[in-house]
Amino acid sequence: MTNNIDWANLPFGYVKTDYNVRCYYRNGAWGEIETCSEETIPLHMAATCLHYGQEAFEGLKAYRCPDGKVRVFRSDENAARLQSTCRGILMPELPTERFNEMVDRAVRLNERWIPPYESGATLYIRPLLIGTGAQVGVRPSEEYLFLIFVTPVGPYFKGGFSSNPYVITRSHDRSAPLGTGIYKVGGNYAASLYANREAHDKGYACEFYLDAKEKKYIDECGAANFFGIRDNTYFTPESTSILPSITNKSLMQVARDLGMKVERRPIPVEELATFEEAGACGTAAVISPVSYIDDEETGTRYDFGPEAGPWSRKLFDTLRGIQYGIIEDKHHWTRVVIG
């Protein structure tokens, strides 16, 4: 069976595929992996995911490569981050082996939905863990559902690897220093919706967050990590409210491999003026170069140029090359799922 999809013009959105995979946690243990073709979930109206935010998700991709194989990228890191989130909001941890087994099964069952190489599209993998047990009091659930669905997606930002403008928001915080910012939970994204809409209404691609406590330091580019480059050095913020991006972690290692220095530390907002290049990084876009960042409160524009800088391009090309099996995977980040 074939798909009549215009891969080159596919948006970053949901497309129905053939199967998803599910696993239930009941009576203190994870059950067997199940294959399902339904898009809906039978859910109790008092489920803790609906009332108390016991919900976590991940995002990773499968790549159809020029050698004919299909690879996934650093799924062990996604499993570890999900486990960290589980510890943070009191959900049972899914073993890494089970996580990878379900990722592989979801990809293989939906092989016909994996976009062709060089189409500009990829297969996005969405693991989701929710509390399904009925509770009225504020306490953890005793039952959970872990599922993985996949969907083919185009670039997160229109134009793919092209520069985008951002605006600093001081009227909203995505997360707090001792809150859930380091966990990948839906509440953090709900907290970003208003500021994101404001940024779009003003003509920006995304909002840009400062630290919630003092509004002095860089936190995140919308839902992505930030990096800046100057003097052959890759800078990225260190904060207790920033989600640990697997893409950023990978880019830091790639930067070292390419001979760059790496500094991860608190970065004052004024330091933006010193960077030669800047970017947002994450699974969806890999790298989205930043053209400029406006600070409406001070009237300052931090300008990085209308095109991606040379280091941003080299980092992007190298990481994508590893993901597609074109460049040597010397850190053993990819795993062949099909082929």
Side-chain angles (χ1 to χ4, degrees), residues 174-190:
R174 185 173 184 266
S175 58
L178 300 179
T180 59
I182 58 172
Y183 308 126
K184 198 167 178 68
V185 295
N188 296 339
Y189 296 82

Side-chain angles (χ1 to χ4, degrees), residues 130-175:
I130 59 173
T132 55
Q135 294 281 9
V136 177
V138 182
R139 63 178 69 91
S141 175
E142 295 182 357
E143 296 185 352
Y144 296 84
L145 167 63
F146 178 71
L147 66 83
I148 297 179
F149 68 85
V150 301
T151 182
V153 296
Y156 190 74
F157 290 109
K158 291 181 180 179
F161 187 71
S162 58
S163 296
N164 291 287
Y166 287 72
V167 61
I168 292 174
T169 176
R170 286 185 167 83
S171 57
H172 295 87
D173 295 316
R174 185 173 184 266
S175 58

